[in-house]
Amino acid sequence: VRPRLLRALGSRVKRSRAKHPRTKVIAPLSPVALIAKKRDGQKHDEAELHALVSGLMNGAVTDYQMTAWLMAAYLNGIDEREMVALTDAMLLSGDVLELRSVDRPKVDKHSTGGVGDKISLCLGPLVAACGAAVPMIAGRGLGHTGGTLDKLEAIPGYEVKLSAKRFEQVVREAGVSIIGQTEHLAPADRRIYALRDVTGTVECIPLIVASILSKKLAEGIDALVLDVKVGRGAFMKDLQAATELSRALVRVGKRAGKRVSALLTDMSAPIGLTVGNALELREAIDVLLGGGPPDTRELTLLLGEEMLVAVGLAKTRSQARRALIRAIDDGSGLETLARMVRLQDGDDRYVTQPSRLPKAPVVLAVPSPRTGFVSAIDARSLGELAVAIGAGRKRAEDPVDPRVGIELCVKPGGRVTTGQPLALLHLASRRHADACRQACASAFTFSRVEPGQKPLVLRRSR
Amino acid sequence: VRPRLLRALGSRVKRSRAKHPRTKVIAPLSPVALIAKKRDGQKHDEAELHALVSGLMNGAVTDYQMTAWLMAAYLNGIDEREMVALTDAMLLSGDVLELRSVDRPKVDKHSTGGVGDKISLCLGPLVAACGAAVPMIAGRGLGHTGGTLDKLEAIPGYEVKLSAKRFEQVVREAGVSIIGQTEHLAPADRRIYALRDVTGTVECIPLIVASILSKKLAEGIDALVLDVKVGRGAFMKDLQAATELSRALVRVGKRAGKRVSALLTDMSAPIGLTVGNALELREAIDVLLGGGPPDTRELTLLLGEEMLVAVGLAKTRSQARRALIRAIDDGSGLETLARMVRLQDGDDRYVTQPSRLPKAPVVLAVPSPRTGFVSAIDARSLGELAVAIGAGRKRAEDPVDPRVGIELCVKPGGRVTTGQPLALLHLASRRHADACRQACASAFTFSRVEPGQKPLVLRRSR
């Protein structure tokens, strides 16, 4: 069975023509009039936003007109109806996968990005092992946050660039496939994001919503679970903005006909104990083996519950949890990861024997400067240190070193004595070792009294 | 004596470095940071605005970044200090004329554009005949408003493109020269204006101020008189916005070290009795001959008074008026126009024998549909009719026909009887004659009682 692609701008525009007076689609406003409308705080109708996005793609709207519109939208706002229409227009700028040969319910998870966030690596296979299909299009690390693709590429041979046909095939055969963004899916999002990135219009919730959802809806999923990170190590620094973002994502996703829910999770400290590509993959494999740090395991289970409930594979969260734990305990989660890796040309011995994963030649302990409790570990500082030692990238074209990273020996709430290691630095060489040690130690805050534990999930949006 | 050009970005930037901490000039904010600052409603310092404008010219700031900044500036505002700095930065993007060989005081007039506005054609020569130097860089007609250059080009041979050297020579020898914008003067204004035109950011007072003043200050003038038009036929439709614009122009012009004043004048009806290039030139010559419509003559004298007082060639407005009337009565104003035309390769017999000016082959009367008083003549409608019959242009690259236009037979306040001509249409052919007649007649509003006269000058700003 070959995968079918819906060439979106054929069938869907016809639908939209039926809903709107013909003149609106045939003769929408000029680019200047579209910009002026948003400049004056007015609302766009669906046809106007489709004209804007398709105009950007076909040259009728120039980059310098789009950025003027983006700034007007940033400052004057985009309401929910507009968000839905903008998401739809961006989605329809490219192909929308249908995955017709996959008969399981299709569900994905999207995280807004954090430090040490390796959840997709264990979550995708586990949820697939419980009977869902997980067609996951993931990203690379940029800035202080890591990327799922970089982590998977710690496995020799693993191919993140698959055709739509092979992607569908891996989803069908393994239940899960994790690949990179292709140029055929939501190309308008790539164009618009590149413009936002250089014009100060990134931090705009409606534009973030349209960007995330247009890409995710192109995967052909039935349901989506969002992990909206909040805190120093996240894109969203405060709870209010993160709440607003997660609610908008859920509402707009639902209006697009998907079952969508969001967990708002803490990103003040890194997730789990590792930051760095091979180290994080190893931690994810540990979870699939029944181990792993408690918070990594728990976050995986929480998101997995949401996913299984969303597609009806479990009636309750506790039923879902039992299924997920079973998939850990019987090894089917790990076997699913190995199968996916094999189908994507990776060497699956790196999954079944994770001690084979590439190791940094230098491992240095970072001694604690004092005795007491660790009250906080600054995720952002450690994310930046990881970039500095080669685990991440400053610019999209930078290479990453899979071997290097940071391994925490203690988490917030833990007790240390002076000289005891706070973390191990996995480095490519001893150059700048002292500076790295110092940078790592300064990410830790201490207190004399035992600090209260932060909850993992701060809020839920359905 | 050859004219001297100040290569602005040499000497002036040094001055600005002396005023600002070195680091600000050496390492200004990145383009994204500049945009974000204005996006967040903050104020730019002088170095930042210079970096923005020079960045646009040297490629460090892209067009799509500039338009995002322009929209942020449109929506969040630009204060007076910023307007001064932006004007200065745009001025310094090119050459600034010094006109050192011209020993007279230098003064110019700028009109924000209207219908039937031929004032520069008689005002420039008259003020020059009174002892001032008038280095006037004028524009072409676009949209419903006419352009001084198009009107002068009704004279065969008249050259509007002069080198800086020849421009200075004509100003020196005739006292006045009227030429077109050159690519060396305020090139950043042309770049920015072209971007504003296609991104809905034209109608923004601070950006208008910087655009007008950067071009005018590049002329090397000591003083500037602004004729800010207000009303249906003008760019500024309401008195409040026009007042705001004229006050901003005066304040920013003064902070740039110039003597600047502004008259806010009515542009609900056309100025004088003619709209069209040869027709308007003829009307201006009539004023220099001691005739012409009362409002054209009066507006010329009012602006001339401001100019002569501004450069100290008259102590009072009444003294200035006497000098201007003398220059009309003794023919020195007309002789100055003829000399300028001659020095710019034009045939000055068209000035001294204006009946030589090109005439339209078809002249049609537009009969009044009723008896009563004319209460209003819509300048904008007549301006658009003038464009439609070939006297103006819709796009910058359209040609104009010097012969065609509209000649009013009556002005607001005048009395007509049914069938009596309201206007004469000067047309290239009889095609669409009825539609033209109808369009012309519908620009007139009638009343039974005599309407009150609108004052010519609505407000003054100094």
Side-chain angles (χ1 to χ4, degrees):
Chain A
V1 184
R2 68 178 286 276
R4 281 152 225 264
L5 293 177
L6 175 65
R7 175 52 73 168
L9 278 167
S11 65
R12 294 286 287 272
V13 163
K14 263 182 226 141
R15 177 178 66 76
S16 122
R17 272 195 192 150
K19 276 199 288 183
H20 292 281
R22 187 174 171 79
T23 50
K24 280 206 176 162
V25 175
I26 300 304
L29 296 176
S30 71
V32 182
L34 284 170
I35 297 166
K37 202 165 175 182
K38 189 44 74 188
R39 176 198 72 195
D40 297 340
Q42 294 171 46
K43 303 294 174 198
H44 289 300
D45 64 25
E46 195 181 328
E48 287 165 2
L49 289 165
H50 278 265
L52 182 75
V53 172
S54 63
L56 179 68
M57 299 311 285
N58 69 27
V61 173
T62 61
D63 285 353
Y64 50 81
Q65 290 176 318
M66 192 68 200
T67 56
W69 183 88
L70 287 166
M71 182 56 80
Y74 182 105
L75 291 171
N76 285 336
I78 296 179
D79 76 7
E80 196 166 305
R81 269 188 49 245
E82 292 177 304
M83 266 190 258
V84 173
L86 183 62
T87 302
D88 195 47
M90 285 162 61
L91 171 66
L92 297 184
S93 69
D95 297 328
V96 179
L97 299 177
E98 290 197 276
L99 308 179
R100 287 204 186 158
S101 74
V102 177
D103 50 14
R104 301 181 183 191
K106 296 176 274 290
V107 60
D108 192 14
K109 187 256 335 183
H110 177 80
S111 157
T112 58
V115 177
D117 187 355
K118 68 281 289 176
I119 302 297
S120 292
L121 302 172
C122 37
L123 176 66
L126 268 184
V127 170
C130 292
V134 183
M136 188 180 278
I137 294 172
R140 294 200 177 275
L142 190 58
H144 71 281
T145 63
T148 297
L149 300 181
D150 296 323
K151 294 166 196 175
L152 278 167
E153 284 180 342
I155 300 170
Y158 189 82
E159 182 55 76
V160 301
K161 286 185 187 172
L162 298 191
S163 67
K165 184 177 166 174
R166 269 197 73 195
F167 180 54
E168 181 161 352
Q169 187 188 342
V170 178
V171 173
R172 198 171 59 235
E173 295 178 18
V176 56
S177 176
I178 304 179
I179 64 167
Q181 172 69 310
T182 84
E183 62 192 28
H184 302 297
L185 298 181
D189 173 62
R190 266 197 309 289
R191 284 284 299 279
I192 293 171
Y193 189 84
L195 291 174
R196 286 167 59 207
D197 193 35
V198 292
T199 56
T201 47
V202 168
E203 288 149 21
C204 172
I205 286 174
L207 297 176
I208 295 170
V209 168
S211 175
I212 290 174
L213 290 182
S214 65
K215 277 179 300 202
K216 286 286 150 185
L217 299 183
E219 289 173 347
I221 47 177
D222 306 307
L224 178 63
V225 174
L226 293 147
D227 182 7
V228 177
K229 301 290 189 194
V230 59
R232 275 272 302 161
F235 188 61
M236 293 279 145
K237 306 282 179 277
D238 66 285
L239 189 62
Q240 199 196 325
T243 303
E244 205 186 316
L245 171 62
S246 65
R247 287 186 180 155
L249 282 165
V250 169
R251 284 194 314 261
V252 174
K254 283 186 177 168
R255 289 179 67 153
K258 308 296 176 187
R259 273 157 285 157
V260 182
S261 63
L263 298 187
L264 230 132
T265 64
D266 180 50
M267 184 33 72
S268 50
I271 300 173
L273 290 171
T274 55
V275 180
N277 298 301
L279 289 172
E280 291 192 48
L281 177 58
R282 167 101 202 221
E283 184 178 310
I285 292 169
D286 284 346
V287 169
L288 292 173
L289 288 167
D295 60 337
T296 307
R297 176 180 163 104
E298 181 59 20
L299 189 52
T300 303
L301 293 173
L302 285 167
L303 290 165
E305 290 170 12
E306 291 286 321
M307 292 168 79
L308 292 177
V309 169
V311 291
L313 287 170
K315 278 186 186 139
T316 60
R317 289 217 291 267
S318 58
Q319 191 189 344
R321 176 171 288 245
R322 283 195 298 276
L324 291 161
I325 291 175
R326 201 180 313 122
I328 292 174
D329 293 345
D330 67 11
S332 58
L334 186 69
E335 174 44 37
T336 302
L337 175 63
R339 194 178 310 132
M340 174 186 87
V341 166
R342 210 158 53 232
L343 288 167
Q344 293 190 217
D345 305 337
D347 186 340
D348 64 350
R349 291 174 302 168
Y350 287 77
V351 175
T352 49
Q353 304 159 40
S355 61
R356 285 176 178 265
L357 284 167
K359 285 181 193 65
V362 176
V363 179
L364 295 178
V366 179
S368 176
R370 65 175 80 179
T371 294
F373 291 95
V374 172
S375 54
I377 303 176
D378 182 20
R380 186 175 181 101
S381 303
L382 289 190
E384 284 164 359
L385 176 59
V387 172
I389 64 178
R393 34 173 92 75
K394 282 187 197 98
R395 290 169 309 170
E397 62 273 22
D398 292 342
V400 297
D401 183 340
R403 307 170 299 170
V404 301
I406 304 153
E407 192 179 352
L408 301 177
C409 303
V410 61
K411 291 274 285 185
R415 201 170 182 290
V416 285
T417 52
T418 305
Q420 198 184 326
L422 295 172
L424 302 176
L425 293 176
H426 295 246
L427 302 174
S429 78
R430 290 188 176 275
R431 280 184 61 202
H432 310 301
D434 284 342
C436 292
R437 266 204 196 97
Q438 200 161 12
C440 185
S442 69
F444 287 73
T445 315
F446 302 90
S447 68
R448 292 194 183 191
V449 293
E450 188 167 358
Q453 285 288 343
K454 278 203 176 180
L456 208 53
V457 175
L458 305 171
R459 218 165 253 183
R460 286 171 192 270
S461 302
R462 276 170 204 277
Chain B
V1 185
R2 67 180 288 274
R4 281 153 224 262
L5 294 176
L6 176 64
R7 174 53 71 170
L9 278 167
S11 64
R12 294 287 287 272
V13 164
K14 263 182 224 143
R15 178 178 65 77
S16 122
R17 273 196 189 150
K19 275 201 288 184
H20 293 280
R22 188 173 169 81
T23 50
K24 281 208 175 161
V25 175
I26 299 305
L29 296 176
S30 72
V32 182
L34 284 170
I35 297 166
K37 203 166 174 181
K38 187 46 75 187
R39 176 197 73 193
D40 296 340
Q42 294 171 43
K43 303 295 174 196
H44 289 300
D45 64 24
E46 196 180 329
E48 287 165 3
L49 289 165
H50 278 265
L52 182 75
V53 172
S54 63
L56 180 67
M57 299 312 284
N58 69 27
V61 173
T62 62
D63 285 352
Y64 50 81
Q65 290 176 318
M66 192 68 201
T67 57
W69 184 88
L70 286 166
M71 183 57 79
Y74 182 104
L75 290 171
N76 285 337
I78 296 179
D79 75 5
E80 196 168 305
R81 268 186 51 244
E82 291 176 304
M83 268 191 253
V84 173
L86 183 63
T87 302
D88 195 48
M90 286 162 61
L91 170 67
L92 297 186
S93 69
D95 297 328
V96 178
L97 299 177
E98 289 200 273
L99 307 180
R100 285 205 187 158
S101 74
V102 178
D103 50 13
R104 301 179 185 195
K106 296 174 276 286
V107 60
D108 191 13
K109 186 258 331 184
H110 177 79
S111 157
T112 59
V115 178
D117 189 354
K118 68 282 289 177
I119 302 298
S120 293
L121 303 173
C122 37
L123 177 64
L126 269 184
V127 170
C130 292
V134 183
M136 187 180 278
I137 294 172
R140 295 200 175 275
L142 188 58
H144 71 280
T145 62
T148 298
L149 300 180
D150 297 323
K151 294 165 197 175
L152 278 167
E153 284 181 340
I155 301 169
Y158 189 83
E159 182 55 77
V160 301
K161 288 186 185 170
L162 299 190
S163 67
K165 182 176 167 176
R166 268 197 75 193
F167 180 54
E168 180 160 352
Q169 188 188 341
V170 177
V171 173
R172 199 171 59 235
E173 293 179 18
V176 56
S177 177
I178 304 179
I179 64 167
Q181 171 69 309
T182 83
E183 62 192 26
H184 303 298
L185 298 180
D189 174 61
R190 266 196 308 290
R191 284 284 300 279
I192 293 170
Y193 189 85
L195 292 174
R196 286 167 58 204
D197 193 35
V198 293
T199 55
T201 46
V202 168
E203 287 147 24
C204 173
I205 286 175
L207 298 176
I208 296 170
V209 167
S211 175
I212 291 175
L213 290 182
S214 64
K215 279 180 295 203
K216 286 287 149 183
L217 299 184
E219 290 172 346
I221 48 177
D222 306 306
L224 178 64
V225 174
L226 294 147
D227 182 5
V228 177
K229 301 292 189 191
V230 60
R232 276 271 303 158
F235 187 63
M236 292 280 144
K237 306 284 178 276
D238 67 286
L239 189 61
Q240 200 195 324
T243 303
E244 205 185 314
L245 172 62
S246 64
R247 286 188 181 153
L249 283 165
V250 169
R251 284 196 312 262
V252 173
K254 282 185 176 169
R255 289 178 67 153
K258 308 296 173 185
R259 274 157 282 158
V260 182
S261 63
L263 298 187
L264 229 132
T265 65
D266 181 50
M267 183 34 69
S268 48
I271 300 172
L273 290 171
T274 55
V275 180
N277 297 301
L279 289 171
E280 292 192 48
L281 178 58
R282 168 100 199 220
E283 186 178 310
I285 291 171
D286 285 347
V287 169
L288 291 173
L289 287 165
D295 62 335
T296 308
R297 176 181 162 104
E298 183 58 21
L299 189 52
T300 304
L301 293 173
L302 285 167
L303 290 164
E305 288 170 11
E306 292 286 322
M307 292 168 79
L308 291 177
V309 170
V311 291
L313 286 169
K315 280 188 184 136
T316 62
R317 289 217 290 267
S318 58
Q319 189 189 344
R321 177 169 286 246
R322 285 195 298 277
L324 292 161
I325 292 175
R326 201 181 311 124
I328 293 174
D329 293 345
D330 68 11
S332 58
L334 187 69
E335 174 43 37
T336 301
L337 175 61
R339 194 178 309 135
M340 175 186 86
V341 167
R342 210 159 52 230
L343 288 165
Q344 292 188 218
D345 305 337
D347 185 340
D348 63 350
R349 289 173 306 167
Y350 287 77
V351 174
T352 50
Q353 303 158 39
S355 59
R356 286 175 176 265
L357 284 167
K359 286 181 192 64
V362 176
V363 179
L364 295 177
V366 178
S368 176
R370 65 175 80 177
T371 294
F373 291 95
V374 171
S375 55
I377 304 176
D378 181 17
R380 188 174 180 103
S381 303
L382 290 189
E384 284 164 358
L385 176 59
V387 172
I389 64 179
R393 36 173 90 77
K394 284 188 195 97
R395 290 170 309 172
E397 59 274 24
D398 294 341
V400 297
D401 183 339
R403 305 169 303 167
V404 301
I406 304 154
E407 193 178 351
L408 301 177
C409 303
V410 62
K411 290 276 284 186
R415 201 172 181 287
V416 285
T417 53
T418 306
Q420 198 184 325
L422 294 172
L424 302 175
L425 294 176
H426 296 248
L427 303 172
S429 79
R430 288 188 177 274
R431 280 184 62 199
H432 310 304
D434 283 342
C436 292
R437 264 205 199 95
Q438 203 162 10
C440 185
S442 69
F444 287 73
T445 315
F446 301 91
S447 69
R448 292 198 181 185
V449 294
E450 187 168 358
Q453 286 288 341
K454 279 203 174 178
L456 208 53
V457 175
L458 305 172
R459 220 166 250 182
R460 284 169 193 273
S461 302
R462 275 171 204 280

